[in-house]
Amino acid sequence: MPELKVDKEKCIGCGTCIALAGASFKFDENGKAEEILPPGDDVDTVKMASDSCPVQAIEIK
């Protein structure tokens, strides 16, 4: 499974990643997305969530 990182400076808290890959992303105490480690979704689901981020705040390594 790839490593995930959410850029908190870019994240606007829209929740798309959480809606698409709720086992890999959650909201933090500030309403921004953060990664759940290890990710609980398959690689394709995580990639779809990353690609759907409107501000490209998710990095997959």
Side-chain angles (χ1 to χ4, degrees):
M1 177 51 96
E3 184 179 323
L4 305 176
K5 181 69 179 156
V6 176
D7 184 334
K8 302 291 182 133
E9 297 296 316
K10 290 183 179 178
C11 181
I12 59 172
C14 75
T16 301
C17 60
I18 296 165
L20 295 173
S24 299
F25 300 97
K26 64 181 179 179
F27 284 118
D28 69 10
E29 63 278 355
N30 297 313
K32 305 262 183 143
E34 69 179 1
E35 56 283 337
I36 297 172
L37 300 176
D41 296 289
D42 62 55
V43 173
D44 290 336
T45 301
V46 170
K47 176 131 178 51
M48 179 177 56
S50 174
D51 291 345
S52 297
C53 179
V55 294
Q56 293 85 46
I58 302 168
E59 181 180 347
I60 301 176
K61 295 182 180 181

